Amino acid sequence: YKGIYKLEPGCMLTIKGGFVGEVPVQPIRPGQSHGSVTIKRRWSLANVVKQGSAELLNDETQAIQQLESTLSEAVRLQSLADVPLGAFLSGGVDSSTNVALMQQQAKEAGHASIKTFTIGFDEPGFDEAPYSRAVANHLATEHHEMRVTSDMAQAVIPLLPTMYDEPFADSSQIPTHLVCKAARQEVTVALSGDAGDELFGGYNRYFWGPRIWNRLSWLPFPARQALGACVSAVPVEVWNALSAAVKSNQSGGVNQAGAKLHKLAKRLQTVKGMNDLYLSLLSEWQDPADIVISDGVKLVGQPETLMLDPLPTAGLNDQALEMMYRDSMMYLTDDILCKVDRAAMACSLETRVPFLDHRVVELAWRLPLNMKIRNNQGKWVLRQVLYKHVPRELIERPKAGFAIPIGQWLRGPLREWANSLLNETRLKQEGYLKSAPILQAWKEHLTGKIDHTSKLWAVLMFQSWLEANR
């Protein structure tokens, strides 16, 4: 759609005297004007980062106390509602902290236990319901658990183009909508634990990415390419078995280790710096030119995104902090918050995010990195708050996303649907995407030897959106 753009987060658009002028051919950035339209930034994360670095809070005891009180106040304010209210509970650090503080406040006020919501799957490796149930039992919440069958999840897929109104390809959109639907049966407002990862260093890439790069960057590029090829040569299931052995002997290990190592191996064969590595982590297809038909215009490098914006001039003295800032500006806003908001509003559920209270964000950027990431584990300071309310053993486990077995379904009950959207003749007639690399990935995925779920889901969501908007 030409001439239609999104307003960037934290910005205000002003139109004086009615719209005057031609539709802009490029997005108007903060600080710019076009005709009668002006956009300005009303709140700047870059300024928060710079200010935070000048006011670092180095006392751990004070930091823990201040975080608990600031987050408690955010939870209290966002729990004010004249309609029934509850919270999502995955059993992870972020949602458990929110729920613990909500339940404590309800108890102190003499109110009924808060309502918490989760969903579970029957497929092995995807069901996190037991973890949330354990936390809910400990906190004595009124817990609601919905068991989701593959048929229920697959029934959501045809609704996605209308629900999101754009090509949106985070497959956790499906369980997110289902848990929102379950919550809406009981409440009208639900608190979410989103943004904890970006603020307190929760994603694996924040500690494994820089660590791996620092250990391998001394190798010449051809040697890194060879190493990547060697890692790729070991089957995914072998890496998974090795990771499972590590998990059984200690608290380490990574969920879906094989797929992640294969992705890392491919990155090693293409990236030439830490910034390249981070960029590659954000893109399922490593180069847009690989699959996008460019109308005769050669695509060079990355498309224009916020990734090209300059970083704050202070406060990002570590690669992990740079990634956390970038994620907050892009991944959090355009994926996580978009995913939850639209999944929830599709069933008339309002969601609120206590971690994004500006005072919590400002405090988070005053904390040094070692209070966030410690011993290859993220969210250290947040865990200290949580462990005052929930035993450590109920929380400690490898980080996992809100996943569903889409990859398995694409080889089974969704195969016919995917085949239709990935039809070679159809792709060529539509003229947007190159058929050869897509069909190659589809063929490899169907064999079960290589998991191309994320790559294929991005294409399938574009195709289904295109079909719904012809």
Side-chain angles (χ1 to χ4, degrees):
Y1 294 96
K2 293 181 180 178
I4 298 178
Y5 310 103
K6 291 183 180 181
L7 182 64
E8 291 178 35
C11 293
M12 182 180 294
L13 181 148
T14 305
I15 303 174
K16 293 183 178 178
F19 184 79
V20 178
E22 296 293 320
V23 174
V25 295
Q26 294 291 335
I28 308 170
R29 299 301 308 278
Q32 296 178 347
S33 297
H34 181 87
S36 58
V37 175
T38 301
I39 294 180
K40 65 178 181 180
R41 193 170 294 284
R42 59 179 176 81
W43 186 87
S44 167
L45 181 60
N47 289 343
V48 168
V49 170
K50 288 189 287 187
Q51 187 67 28
S53 67
E55 301 174 353
L56 281 179
L57 184 56
N58 290 302
D59 185 293
E60 290 183 355
T61 301
Q62 184 184 357
I64 295 166
Q65 291 174 346
Q66 198 160 333
L67 176 58
E68 182 167 19
S69 63
T70 305
L71 188 54
S72 292
E73 177 63 5
V75 167
R76 185 189 70 80
L77 289 172
Q78 296 197 22
S79 295
L80 297 175
D82 55 4
V83 292
L85 176 138
F88 300 131
L89 179 60
S90 69
V93 174
D94 306 328
S95 65
S96 297
T97 304
N98 265 349
V99 168
L101 296 175
M102 288 176 72
Q103 182 72 332
Q104 180 186 50
Q105 291 172 12
K107 187 176 180 181
E108 290 173 352
H111 296 156
S113 294
I114 67 166
K115 296 181 179 183
T116 52
F117 302 90
T118 194
I119 58 175
F121 291 90
D122 295 330
E123 283 84 352
F126 292 90
D127 186 20
E128 294 213 305
Y131 305 117
S132 57
R133 192 184 312 132
V135 173
N137 288 340
H138 177 79
L139 294 173
T141 68
E142 184 185 321
H143 193 53
H144 299 259
E145 184 179 306
M146 176 185 183
R147 301 302 298 181
V148 175
T149 66
S150 59
D151 287 344
M152 292 167 64
Q154 290 161 34
V156 176
I157 293 174
L159 309 176
L160 296 176
T162 303
M163 189 184 301
Y164 282 86
D165 208 26
E166 65 177 288
F168 186 87
D170 181 338
S171 63
S172 64
Q173 61 202 127
I174 297 172
T176 300
H177 176 63
L178 289 169
V179 75
C180 289
K181 196 172 179 180
R184 186 60 183 86
Q185 305 304 309
E186 299 285 336
V187 300
T188 311
V189 177
L191 268 60
S192 154
D194 293 320
D197 287 307
E198 291 82 0
L199 290 175
F200 298 101
Y203 294 130
N204 290 326
R205 59 177 170 266
Y206 296 153
F207 29 99
W208 290 115
R211 186 180 181 186
I212 291 171
W213 181 252
N214 290 336
R215 290 187 175 186
L216 297 176
S217 58
W218 63 274
L219 283 171
F221 183 52
R224 291 202 301 273
Q225 288 180 303
L227 177 61
C230 291
V231 173
S232 296
V234 179
V236 168
E237 55 269 22
V238 174
W239 288 120
N240 286 340
L242 290 171
S243 180
V246 171
K247 280 192 275 189
S248 66
N249 293 320
Q250 51 186 299
S251 61
V254 177
N255 282 326
Q256 301 177 25
K260 291 175 181 176
L261 278 168
H262 270 230
K263 282 186 178 181
L264 175 63
K266 289 180 181 177
R267 269 85 170 156
L268 287 175
Q269 295 175 71
T270 56
V271 304
K272 296 183 178 180
M274 187 60 209
N275 203 49
D276 282 350
L277 178 59
Y278 175 66
L279 270 171
S280 75
L281 291 170
L282 299 184
S283 180
E284 298 302 339
W285 295 87
Q286 290 304 290
D287 183 348
D290 288 344
I291 64 164
V292 177
I293 295 172
S294 55
D295 248 354
V297 179
K298 183 174 174 56
L299 293 177
V300 180
Q302 292 291 323
E304 280 196 39
T305 67
L306 295 180
M307 184 70 202
L308 300 177
D309 281 2
L311 292 166
T313 54
L316 300 180
N317 56 350
D318 188 278
Q319 293 163 335
L321 291 172
E322 285 188 17
M323 287 191 281
M324 290 163 65
Y325 174 79
R326 294 287 197 199
D327 278 346
S328 297
M329 293 295 291
M330 296 185 299
Y331 180 62
L332 175 64
T333 54
D334 289 326
D335 186 324
I336 303 299
L337 297 178
C338 174
K339 173 186 70 180
V340 175
D341 183 61
R342 295 186 196 176
M345 294 311 293
C347 51
S348 301
L349 178 75
E350 178 190 343
T351 52
R352 299 177 182 176
V353 189
F355 281 111
L356 288 181
D357 182 295
H358 69 93
R359 288 154 294 202
V360 176
V361 175
E362 289 157 7
L363 175 60
W365 280 100
R366 290 184 58 205
L367 303 179
L369 185 59
N370 70 351
M371 288 193 200
K372 299 176 181 181
I373 298 172
R374 190 173 295 190
N375 299 323
N376 291 322
Q377 187 180 57
K379 298 188 273 202
W380 179 86
V381 66
L382 191 58
R383 291 173 189 271
Q384 309 317 303
V385 173
L386 175 58
Y387 296 153
K388 293 181 181 183
H389 305 272
V390 176
R392 182 185 300 258
E393 57 269 20
L394 293 185
I395 301 296
E396 295 291 354
R397 65 183 188 277
K399 181 174 178 58
F402 198 15
I404 56 174
I406 285 286
Q408 297 173 25
W409 295 345
L410 288 175
R411 298 186 189 101
L414 294 180
R415 184 168 179 165
E416 186 177 340
W417 169 77
N419 264 331
S420 171
L421 292 173
L422 301 179
N423 178 272
E424 183 176 9
T425 302
R426 178 178 186 161
L427 288 168
K428 288 180 178 178
Q429 287 177 344
E430 289 165 344
Y432 292 103
L433 303 175
K434 298 176 182 177
S435 60
I438 293 169
L439 294 175
Q440 180 64 28
W442 179 225
K443 182 179 178 181
E444 291 174 352
H445 184 83
L446 289 175
T447 66
K449 294 180 180 179
I450 304 179
D451 186 354
H452 286 308
T453 301
S454 298
K455 280 185 174 182
L456 293 169
W457 192 249
V459 175
L460 289 165
M461 285 295 96
F462 177 78
Q463 289 295 96
S464 60
W465 172 83
L466 189 62
E467 184 174 60
N469 287 273
R470 283 177 173 174

